Amino acid sequence: MLVNLVPSASAAIDFATASLARPRPEKKPAPVAPDVIDPVARTQISLEYASLQYKDHCPLGMYVVPSPETLMVWDAVFFVHQGYYADAIFKFRLTFPNNYPEAPPVVQFMTDVVFHPLISHTGIFNLAPRFRPWRPKEHRVFDVLHWIKTAFKKHALDEIKESDCLNKEAYRYHESTSSFAGLASQSSLLSQSAPALFDRDHPSMKGKPRDAMPFRELPPEQLQLQRKKIGLQECAEDKEHP
């Protein structure tokens, strides 16, 4: 659900085209073809996507759209506002199983690489600390989205157990917060880089669902026009480097 979007100084989201922002070398969960989607799952997923319009259902700074190929895949982008990962722009994908809501969606970060205890080197995000077990009559997608956002906050990082970590190196946060802060900040900076935001049409994505939320870099004159339309003022750095 698209709310409160403020583009960065050099980027905009292009919803008219589709490609994958950051390819992953490993095989992703295969999307289910539309003609074999269970009717119950299709109805439930449709209702839950529609519910994201309600207040507080979609977390602030997070934007979600279904894949052009199938309702069983949602693409999302998360703008981190504060904390260790402040100013990060993380893209992730939710892939729903055909028996949803009996089983949870798979969450995989597409931004390469997110340094976080709950995110593996292939981008898989561990839902277990929040959903142990997953309760189909109680848990919903908006709960998953809120857990993803919460997992990047200090109080959640403090409570993560080593047994839940998919990235053991990142768990060393508990030993040295200063080192962790530096690596998290580096992850944030990399997520804002042009290769992370604008890498498109990679051969490894052949046959995979298109990214429903691609970024495209705007020429300076178009960027200035868009900034004016949404009321953003020109900063001092922009004036020094036109």
Side-chain angles (χ1 to χ4, degrees):
M1 198 57 53
L2 308 178
V3 289
N4 302 317
L5 178 60
V6 179
S8 66
S10 62
I13 299 179
D14 180 6
F15 298 105
T17 60
S19 64
L20 193 60
R22 291 297 294 166
R24 311 297 316 186
E26 80 296 342
K27 184 178 180 180
K28 301 184 186 66
V32 180
D35 59 338
V36 297
I37 296 177
D38 182 84
V40 174
R42 180 193 294 275
T43 300
Q44 183 66 33
I45 293 169
S46 298
L47 290 173
E48 291 199 39
Y49 183 75
S51 75
L52 292 182
Q53 67 182 304
Y54 298 136
K55 183 179 179 181
D56 299 328
H57 273 220
C58 188
L60 183 66
M62 195 173 286
Y63 311 92
V64 184
V65 292
S67 166
E69 274 81 12
T70 172
L71 182 64
M72 304 298 279
V73 175
W74 292 4
D75 288 312
V77 61
F78 174 29
F79 293 83
V80 184
H81 294 152
Q82 56 188 352
Y84 294 117
Y85 300 89
D87 299 324
I89 305 172
F90 293 140
K91 301 190 78 174
F92 64 92
R93 172 168 287 177
L94 296 94
T95 302
F96 294 88
N98 199 37
N99 65 337
Y100 184 82
E102 294 304 315
V106 173
V107 178
Q108 183 170 26
F109 276 75
M110 312 307 292
T111 300
D112 188 20
V113 173
V114 184
F115 184 79
H116 190 285
L118 298 181
I119 301 176
S120 73
H121 292 292
T122 60
I124 297 297
F125 177 79
N126 190 6
L127 296 175
R130 169 64 176 81
F131 305 100
R132 199 194 321 261
W134 172 265
R135 299 183 177 89
K137 295 183 179 179
E138 176 183 340
H139 298 141
R140 295 293 180 263
V141 178
F142 65 82
D143 295 313
V144 173
L145 296 178
H146 279 280
W147 167 234
I148 292 171
K149 180 174 181 176
T150 298
F152 285 85
K153 296 182 179 180
K154 184 180 185 303
H155 70 86
L157 288 165
D158 288 342
E159 297 172 0
I160 292 174
K161 299 178 180 179
E162 185 174 8
S163 58
D164 288 325
C165 292
L166 301 182
N167 184 336
K168 300 299 183 182
E169 182 181 358
Y171 182 74
R172 295 176 184 174
Y173 157 78
H174 292 269
E175 302 174 5
S176 174
T177 54
S178 60
S179 297
F180 178 87
L183 291 169
S185 178
Q186 182 180 16
S187 185
S188 173
L189 289 172
L190 289 172
S191 76
Q192 303 170 50
S193 67
L197 291 175
F198 308 125
D199 189 5
R200 305 167 64 119
D201 301 322
H202 194 278
S204 67
M205 294 312 300
K206 185 176 181 180
K208 301 294 195 308
R210 292 179 299 158
D211 184 5
M213 198 175 293
F215 281 58
R216 63 186 176 90
E217 193 165 12
L218 295 176
E221 60 277 8
Q222 290 187 26
L223 177 61
Q224 186 177 11
L225 179 61
Q226 292 297 324
R227 290 172 64 90
K228 287 182 178 179
K229 283 183 178 180
I230 61 177
L232 290 179
Q233 296 182 352
E234 194 174 18
C235 65
E237 184 178 352
D238 292 334
K239 293 179 180 179
E240 293 175 2
H241 302 87

